mmCIF file with all atom_site columns, all heavy atoms in Angstrom:
data_model
loop_
_atom_site.group_PDB
_atom_site.id
_atom_site.type_symbol
_atom_site.label_atom_id
_atom_site.label_alt_id
_atom_site.label_comp_id
_atom_site.label_asym_id
_atom_site.label_entity_id
_atom_site.label_seq_id
_atom_site.pdbx_PDB_ins_code
_atom_site.Cartn_x
_atom_site.Cartn_y
_atom_site.Cartn_z
_atom_site.occupancy
_atom_site.B_iso_or_equiv
_atom_site.pdbx_formal_charge
_atom_site.auth_seq_id
_atom_site.auth_comp_id
_atom_site.auth_asym_id
_atom_site.auth_atom_id
_atom_site.pdbx_PDB_model_num
ATOM 1  N N   . ILE V 1 222 ? 87.034 -110.040 -43.032 1.00 0.00 ? 383 ILE V N   1
ATOM 2  C CA  . ILE V 1 222 ? 86.294 -110.868 -43.969 1.00 0.00 ? 383 ILE V CA  1
ATOM 3  C C   . ILE V 1 222 ? 84.963 -110.220 -44.291 1.00 0.00 ? 383 ILE V C   1
ATOM 4  O O   . ILE V 1 222 ? 84.376 -109.542 -43.444 1.00 0.00 ? 383 ILE V O   1
ATOM 5  C CB  . ILE V 1 222 ? 86.081 -112.283 -43.385 1.00 0.00 ? 383 ILE V CB  1
ATOM 6  C CG1 . ILE V 1 222 ? 85.543 -113.223 -44.479 1.00 0.00 ? 383 ILE V CG1 1
ATOM 7  C CG2 . ILE V 1 222 ? 85.176 -112.281 -42.156 1.00 0.00 ? 383 ILE V CG2 1
ATOM 8  C CD1 . ILE V 1 222 ? 85.735 -114.689 -44.187 1.00 0.00 ? 383 ILE V CD1 1
ATOM 9  N N   . VAL V 1 223 ? 84.479 -110.436 -45.513 1.00 0.00 ? 384 VAL V N   1
ATOM 10 C CA  . VAL V 1 223 ? 83.172 -109.956 -45.926 1.00 0.00 ? 384 VAL V CA  1
ATOM 11 C C   . VAL V 1 223 ? 82.277 -111.142 -46.247 1.00 0.00 ? 384 VAL V C   1
ATOM 12 O O   . VAL V 1 223 ? 81.059 -111.111 -45.980 1.00 0.00 ? 384 VAL V O   1
ATOM 13 C CB  . VAL V 1 223 ? 83.308 -109.033 -47.169 1.00 0.00 ? 384 VAL V CB  1
ATOM 14 C CG1 . VAL V 1 223 ? 81.942 -108.620 -47.680 1.00 0.00 ? 384 VAL V CG1 1
ATOM 15 C CG2 . VAL V 1 223 ? 84.146 -107.823 -46.828 1.00 0.00 ? 384 VAL V CG2 1
ATOM 16 N N   . ALA V 1 224 ? 82.838 -112.209 -46.834 1.00 0.00 ? 385 ALA V N   1
ATOM 17 C CA  . ALA V 1 224 ? 82.039 -113.392 -47.155 1.00 0.00 ? 385 ALA V CA  1
ATOM 18 C C   . ALA V 1 224 ? 82.944 -114.613 -47.251 1.00 0.00 ? 385 ALA V C   1
ATOM 19 O O   . ALA V 1 224 ? 84.112 -114.497 -47.620 1.00 0.00 ? 385 ALA V O   1
ATOM 20 C CB  . ALA V 1 224 ? 81.301 -113.200 -48.472 1.00 0.00 ? 385 ALA V CB  1
ATOM 21 N N   . ALA V 1 225 ? 82.372 -115.765 -46.919 1.00 0.00 ? 386 ALA V N   1
ATOM 22 C CA  . ALA V 1 225 ? 83.006 -117.053 -47.193 1.00 0.00 ? 386 ALA V CA  1
ATOM 23 C C   . ALA V 1 225 ? 82.335 -117.618 -48.435 1.00 0.00 ? 386 ALA V C   1
ATOM 24 O O   . ALA V 1 225 ? 81.127 -117.595 -48.524 1.00 0.00 ? 386 ALA V O   1
ATOM 25 C CB  . ALA V 1 225 ? 82.863 -117.999 -46.015 1.00 0.00 ? 386 ALA V CB  1
ATOM 26 N N   . ASN V 1 226 ? 83.140 -118.092 -49.374 1.00 0.00 ? 387 ASN V N   1
ATOM 27 C CA  . ASN V 1 226 ? 82.605 -118.564 -50.625 1.00 0.00 ? 387 ASN V CA  1
ATOM 28 C C   . ASN V 1 226 ? 82.842 -120.053 -50.781 1.00 0.00 ? 387 ASN V C   1
ATOM 29 O O   . ASN V 1 226 ? 83.821 -120.581 -50.296 1.00 0.00 ? 387 ASN V O   1
ATOM 30 C CB  . ASN V 1 226 ? 83.247 -117.796 -51.791 1.00 0.00 ? 387 ASN V CB  1
ATOM 31 C CG  . ASN V 1 226 ? 83.188 -116.299 -51.588 1.00 0.00 ? 387 ASN V CG  1
ATOM 32 O OD1 . ASN V 1 226 ? 82.144 -115.774 -51.198 1.00 0.00 ? 387 ASN V OD1 1
ATOM 33 N ND2 . ASN V 1 226 ? 84.289 -115.605 -51.809 1.00 0.00 ? 387 ASN V ND2 1
ATOM 34 N N   . GLY V 1 227 ? 81.955 -120.686 -51.528 1.00 0.00 ? 388 GLY V N   1
ATOM 35 C CA  . GLY V 1 227 ? 82.102 -122.107 -51.797 1.00 0.00 ? 388 GLY V CA  1
ATOM 36 C C   . GLY V 1 227 ? 80.746 -122.782 -51.860 1.00 0.00 ? 388 GLY V C   1
ATOM 37 O O   . GLY V 1 227 ? 79.768 -122.254 -51.344 1.00 0.00 ? 388 GLY V O   1
ATOM 38 N N   . ASN V 1 228 ? 80.739 -123.938 -52.522 1.00 0.00 ? 389 ASN V N   1
ATOM 39 C CA  . ASN V 1 228 ? 79.531 -124.699 -52.627 1.00 0.00 ? 389 ASN V CA  1
ATOM 40 C C   . ASN V 1 228 ? 79.663 -125.889 -51.694 1.00 0.00 ? 389 ASN V C   1
ATOM 41 O O   . ASN V 1 228 ? 80.464 -126.781 -51.931 1.00 0.00 ? 389 ASN V O   1
ATOM 42 C CB  . ASN V 1 228 ? 79.359 -125.151 -54.092 1.00 0.00 ? 389 ASN V CB  1
ATOM 43 C CG  . ASN V 1 228 ? 78.167 -126.047 -54.288 1.00 0.00 ? 389 ASN V CG  1
ATOM 44 O OD1 . ASN V 1 228 ? 77.221 -125.985 -53.504 1.00 0.00 ? 389 ASN V OD1 1
ATOM 45 N ND2 . ASN V 1 228 ? 78.227 -126.905 -55.290 1.00 0.00 ? 389 ASN V ND2 1
ATOM 46 N N   . ARG V 1 229 ? 78.958 -125.904 -50.614 1.00 0.00 ? 390 ARG V N   1
ATOM 47 C CA  . ARG V 1 229 ? 78.942 -126.982 -49.616 1.00 0.00 ? 390 ARG V CA  1
ATOM 48 C C   . ARG V 1 229 ? 80.176 -127.010 -48.721 1.00 0.00 ? 390 ARG V C   1
ATOM 49 O O   . ARG V 1 229 ? 80.191 -127.666 -47.703 1.00 0.00 ? 390 ARG V O   1
ATOM 50 C CB  . ARG V 1 229 ? 78.787 -128.345 -50.259 1.00 0.00 ? 390 ARG V CB  1
ATOM 51 C CG  . ARG V 1 229 ? 77.433 -128.489 -50.924 1.00 0.00 ? 390 ARG V CG  1
ATOM 52 C CD  . ARG V 1 229 ? 77.323 -129.780 -51.628 1.00 0.00 ? 390 ARG V CD  1
ATOM 53 N NE  . ARG V 1 229 ? 75.987 -129.983 -52.113 1.00 0.00 ? 390 ARG V NE  1
ATOM 54 C CZ  . ARG V 1 229 ? 75.596 -131.048 -52.775 1.00 0.00 ? 390 ARG V CZ  1
ATOM 55 N NH1 . ARG V 1 229 ? 76.445 -132.017 -53.016 1.00 0.00 ? 390 ARG V NH1 1
ATOM 56 N NH2 . ARG V 1 229 ? 74.350 -131.169 -53.210 1.00 0.00 ? 390 ARG V NH2 1
#
Side-chain angles (χ1 to χ4, degrees):
Chain V
I383 190 161
V384 176
N387 309 316
N389 176 25
R390 295 176 173 181

